Amino acid sequence: MRKKPKIGIAGGLLTANEEILAGAFRTYVNHNYVRALEKAGAVPVLLPVLADPDDLPAQLEGLDGLLVPGGADIDPVFYGEQPRPRLGATCPASDRCTLALIADADAAGLPILGICRGAQAINVAFGGTLYQDQESEIPGCLKHVQQSARQQPSHAVTLAKGSFLARIFGAAAQVNSFHHQSVKQLAPGFAVTARADDGVVEGIERCGAQKNFVCGVQFHPEMMAEADCVPMQTLFDRFVSLCAGEGGH
């Protein structure tokens, strides 16, 4: 029986609102990420936010990959900007841990997949910047925070020929959308491999076959995979295969 790869999921901090626990922090990850990785044949491991970044390499020991999920806005201090009026809630402690975790996972040669905030965090971790609020900063911006069901696609994206994402989705795909931030200045060494019709970056991948796999998508495949969308589950399947050392990307 093939040994299942163990994939760490970067946890976030959530403030409890129940009366007896109001104000307490919880480590959390939405469970649909766990289900998508399990269906793909992996063993998911929750990685809590740590105060000491020196402990992060030990947290990654024994893992075969890293998934960086969605979450709150990233504090612009981490990419050298001041906050704009439409910046949402941030959690610098979580940001600091997530960015360091990405760097340590990369140094350890682990494949990395980022989703929504996770894609943005990858871009920032490798030297890029973000639109703090794309609707007010990008002329002609589409609606990227859908009000329809989470598993329902809301707009199209175009995929770059020959990219990892295009090998899964083809030349174009319909995706869901729950974000008001996105990649602004692309990190060095990365390519944009998916865009919406308004130009908003929906997918990035690290260039160079000699590097370990790093990819981010701005949409939420875990939500659509939960509703049995085959291409979205295939994204997790391919990521898990890479983590298991099965073929190049």
Side-chain angles (χ1 to χ4, degrees):
M1 182 176 177
R2 178 176 72 92
K3 182 181 177 182
K4 293 183 177 182
K6 293 172 67 176
I7 298 177
I9 307 177
L13 290 176
L14 183 68
T15 305
N17 56 17
E18 298 94 333
E19 184 176 346
I20 195 170
L21 295 173
F25 283 122
R26 290 175 174 168
T27 295
Y28 85 102
V29 62
N30 289 341
H31 198 64
N32 44 20
Y33 294 105
V34 174
R35 281 194 292 267
L37 289 176
E38 278 192 299
K39 284 173 65 178
V43 177
V45 179
L46 176 59
L47 306 178
V49 173
L50 301 182
D52 188 347
D54 291 340
D55 290 335
L56 295 176
Q59 194 180 41
L60 292 168
E61 287 178 5
L63 298 183
D64 301 295
L66 175 67
L67 174 67
V68 188
D73 287 358
I74 295 174
D75 194 318
V77 70
F78 292 104
Y79 49 93
E81 291 188 7
Q82 294 297 308
R84 295 180 178 272
R86 295 192 183 183
L87 177 70
T90 62
C91 181
S94 179
D95 294 339
R96 191 174 294 107
C97 186
T98 297
L99 296 172
L101 199 60
I102 292 169
D104 289 335
D106 186 52
L110 301 181
I112 303 170
L113 176 64
I115 294 173
C116 198
R117 174 186 177 272
Q120 298 162 13
I122 286 172
N123 192 56
V124 172
F126 288 95
T129 66
L130 304 176
Y131 287 110
Q132 293 185 36
D133 178 68
Q134 59 201 12
E135 183 178 348
S136 60
E137 297 179 56
I138 300 176
C141 185
L142 297 172
K143 183 180 179 68
H144 285 274
V145 182
Q146 70 187 59
Q147 293 171 291
S148 50
R150 64 185 182 180
Q151 73 273 14
Q152 179 178 319
S154 67
H155 68 77
V157 296
T158 302
L159 291 306
K161 186 177 180 180
S163 64
F164 171 79
L165 294 176
R167 289 194 292 275
I168 295 171
F169 296 106
Q174 294 290 323
V175 303
N176 56 358
S177 197
F178 296 94
H179 65 100
H180 82 113
Q181 297 196 315
S182 60
V183 169
K184 184 178 180 181
Q185 180 181 332
L186 185 65
F190 280 75
V192 173
T193 56
R195 283 189 189 273
D197 289 350
D198 56 4
V200 166
V201 174
E202 293 280 344
I204 61 173
E205 299 174 28
R206 181 150 68 181
C207 308
Q210 77 281 6
K211 301 281 190 178
N212 58 292
F213 173 82
V214 184
C215 175
V217 295
Q218 190 58 69
F219 46 95
H220 280 272
E222 79 287 357
M223 295 179 181
M224 296 180 70
E226 195 172 23
D228 298 321
C229 179
V230 173
M232 294 298 175
Q233 180 59 46
T234 300
L235 175 58
F236 291 99
D237 296 346
R238 297 282 176 84
F239 175 59
V240 168
S241 292
L242 290 170
C243 294
E246 297 172 358
H249 55 270

